[in-house]
Amino acid sequence: MNRDQLSFVRHDMLPEAEPPVTEKGIVKWLRENLFSSVSNTVLTLAAIWAVYYLVSASGPWLINGVWDTSSLSQCREVLQGQVGGCFSVLTERWNQLLFGFKYPTHLYWRPALAFVLLFVALAPVLFSKIFPRKMLVLTGLYPFIAFYLIWGGTILTPIFALLGIVLGFLVYRKLIYQSAAMGLLGGVATAFVFWILTGMLGDTVAGVLALEPVASRDMGGFMLNLMLGVVCVSLSLPLGILLALGRQSTMPIIKVICVVFIEFIRGVPLITLLFVANVVLAYFLPPGTNFDLILRVIIMITMFASAYIAEVIRGGLAALPRGQYEAGDSLGLDYAQSMQFIILPQALKISIPGIVNVAVGLFKDTTLVSVISMFDLVGMVRGPILASTAWNGVYWELFGFSALLFFVVCYGISQYSQWLERQLQTDHH
């Protein structure tokens, strides 16, 4: 056989060659994400320059910051003309920024404990796949525990409030088989009658397992923003769902009521509703009636947020194909069952970004209560702290700290919503 006709067959594999430098590691990431084109390169260089400018300008202000003086004048004496922030206002007035200037200092442990328990109560709701469903009992009890810790007074007040809700729910379950409207009205009426009867007990139960009471006017700081944000978001979501369903109802009276409510609330600025809560509501109440200001503000902010959430959820309901509604009918489900098991889970999943957007905006809008003389975080900064002679002129430090607190909360809400969307993702395109 001719030697030229023989073919060579390799018995051993060649060793793997290293990929080019431009196709691995940090170089590949930079080339693909920051320098993939001329326009991206220009934007990257501009962003690097902007970051450098901000860091070089704010770096000395942060590094040379003073933390241990008792006034702005002492800060300036320590700095001696150098650039630096006067962060001593944060170390000296941290309690007022967080709890207000009237909340008793020896009772700070109570709102702090309520804040810690908030995460325990939210855990089984936000991460239902991780925590056992038995923890939902604590979630249901948390509002009453938090009220007892923050406001104090007799423990019978939150107990009676809980019992009223339980009795109302039992009546609702009993009457709902006859009519949904009758069940709802019967449950609400039962709860109110029970609360009125127990409220007549008054002073006879005032000292039973009582904590030192704290008036609503003594609450302020970031604690007030958190209270308003958590309560109003929690209440506005179910109310918004009811309004969205009511707007799509075939019953004319219910539909008209929901449409008028939603359109009126969405057409009025929140600050106007807060002024109504602060001033106008008193004219519609009997003389001598003491209607707590925080409760009035909660009602108005909840109404405002529920109208926006109703429109977001209505968009989710409209996005579902007609076949989903027909699926419930084909299975023999009634309206309530179809909504509970088929329609609302899908509509709420679609509406998550819009609901989170409303929740974040609502939490930031709680700072508007400062215009009606409620000393929340911004109210404390603009009022007692900057009005004092010791810290008059400290702006960047106080407002920067306020912005940081709000950013942490709002960013956490946003990240959770993105995580929840990934968990609920069912398509794999």
Side-chain angles (χ1 to χ4, degrees):
M1 181 179 292
N2 190 349
R3 184 181 295 273
D4 297 335
Q5 297 177 348
L6 294 177
S7 60
F8 174 76
V9 178
R10 181 178 292 278
H11 298 286
D12 300 324
M13 292 292 293
L14 287 173
E16 293 184 358
E18 287 288 331
V21 177
T22 58
E23 296 297 328
K24 67 176 182 178
I26 187 65
V27 176
K28 178 183 178 182
W29 185 90
L30 291 173
R31 186 173 63 84
E32 292 182 350
N33 294 276
L34 300 182
F35 302 99
S36 58
S37 63
V38 175
S39 59
N40 282 353
T41 301
V42 173
L43 290 175
T44 299
L45 294 177
I48 292 174
W49 177 84
V51 171
Y52 170 77
Y53 178 80
L54 291 175
V55 171
S56 61
S58 60
W61 183 75
L62 295 171
I63 295 173
N64 299 330
V66 179
W67 295 85
D68 54 357
T69 59
S70 58
S71 66
L72 178 60
S73 58
Q74 292 184 10
C75 282
R76 291 170 175 169
E77 291 178 4
V78 172
L79 291 172
Q80 295 181 352
Q82 294 183 346
V83 176
C86 186
F87 300 111
S88 301
V89 65
L90 303 181
T91 57
E92 183 176 289
R93 300 297 181 96
W94 67 269
N95 54 342
Q96 295 181 4
L97 292 170
L98 296 181
F99 302 103
F101 67 97
K102 288 186 178 180
Y103 203 92
T105 56
H106 64 283
L107 300 180
Y108 284 165
W109 65 272
R110 282 163 41 180
L113 178 59
F115 178 71
V116 174
L117 291 177
L118 173 64
F119 292 95
V120 180
L122 289 177
V125 178
L126 302 181
F127 307 99
S128 56
K129 295 182 179 180
I130 302 175
F131 295 91
R133 294 180 62 86
K134 295 180 180 179
M135 289 185 63
L136 289 174
V137 176
L138 179 59
T139 305
L141 294 176
Y142 174 77
F144 309 97
I145 297 173
F147 176 86
Y148 179 58
L149 288 174
I150 296 175
W151 271 269
T154 174
I155 196 175
L156 293 181
T157 299
I159 289 178
F160 287 153
L162 176 61
L163 290 177
I165 293 176
V166 172
L167 290 176
F169 178 74
L170 294 177
V171 172
Y172 167 78
R173 290 291 299 271
K174 188 73 174 179
L175 298 178
I176 191 175
Y177 297 103
Q178 301 178 12
S179 170
M182 183 181 297
L184 183 60
L185 292 176
V188 173
T190 302
F192 271 103
V193 169
F194 180 81
W195 291 334
I196 293 173
L197 293 177
T198 53
M200 293 179 181
L201 298 176
D203 298 335
T204 59
V205 299
V208 180
L209 293 177
L211 294 176
E212 181 179 338
V214 179
S216 296
R217 62 179 178 272
D218 295 337
M219 298 177 188
F222 195 60
M223 174 184 69
L224 182 59
N225 295 109
L226 282 176
M227 288 167 49
L228 294 176
V230 172
V231 173
C232 295
V233 169
S234 303
L235 294 178
S236 61
L237 182 58
L239 184 57
I241 294 174
L242 293 177
L243 288 171
L245 296 178
R247 184 161 188 167
Q248 292 192 331
S249 175
T250 56
M251 292 183 273
I253 296 178
I254 293 179
K255 183 173 183 178
V256 168
I257 292 175
C258 292
V259 169
V260 171
F261 177 88
I262 292 172
E263 296 302 330
F264 175 77
I265 294 297
R266 292 175 69 230
V268 177
L270 177 57
I271 193 171
T272 304
L273 297 178
L274 293 178
F275 277 117
V276 170
N278 186 36
V279 180
V280 180
L281 278 183
Y283 294 105
F284 296 94
L285 299 174
T289 303
N290 183 19
F291 195 6
D292 192 275
L293 178 59
I294 289 183
L295 180 58
R296 283 181 275 165
V297 169
I298 287 175
I299 292 173
M300 288 300 176
I301 296 179
T302 301
M303 291 169 54
F304 182 82
S306 62
Y308 282 87
I309 290 180
E311 288 299 279
V312 171
I313 295 175
R314 188 169 70 92
L317 293 171
L320 294 180
R322 182 63 188 170
Q324 297 298 316
Y325 294 87
E326 296 173 349
D329 297 335
S330 65
L331 293 173
L333 302 180
D334 58 20
Y335 177 80
Q337 292 172 331
S338 178
M339 283 294 167
Q340 179 180 355
F341 298 112
I342 298 178
I343 305 302
L344 277 180
Q346 299 181 73
L348 291 176
K349 173 184 162 185
I350 297 172
S351 306
I352 286 176
I355 293 174
V356 171
N357 185 46
V358 174
V360 170
L362 172 64
F363 180 67
K364 293 186 293 185
D365 285 344
T366 58
T367 56
L368 291 175
V369 300
S370 62
V371 302
I372 57 172
S373 301
M374 294 182 71
F375 291 102
D376 70 317
L377 180 59
V378 175
M380 287 301 307
V381 171
R382 294 172 54 201
I385 297 180
L386 286 179
S388 64
T389 56
W391 301 111
N392 188 10
V394 180
Y395 295 99
W396 283 99
E397 295 84 347
L398 289 169
F399 286 110
F401 177 72
S402 304
L404 178 63
L405 288 180
F406 278 96
F407 172 78
V408 169
V409 176
C410 295
Y411 183 74
I413 296 174
S414 175
Q415 289 300 303
Y416 170 76
S417 71
Q418 296 179 29
W419 176 84
L420 183 61
E421 288 184 63
R422 291 192 296 268
Q423 295 296 311
L424 297 177
Q425 193 73 27
T426 54
D427 54 338
H428 302 281
H429 298 298

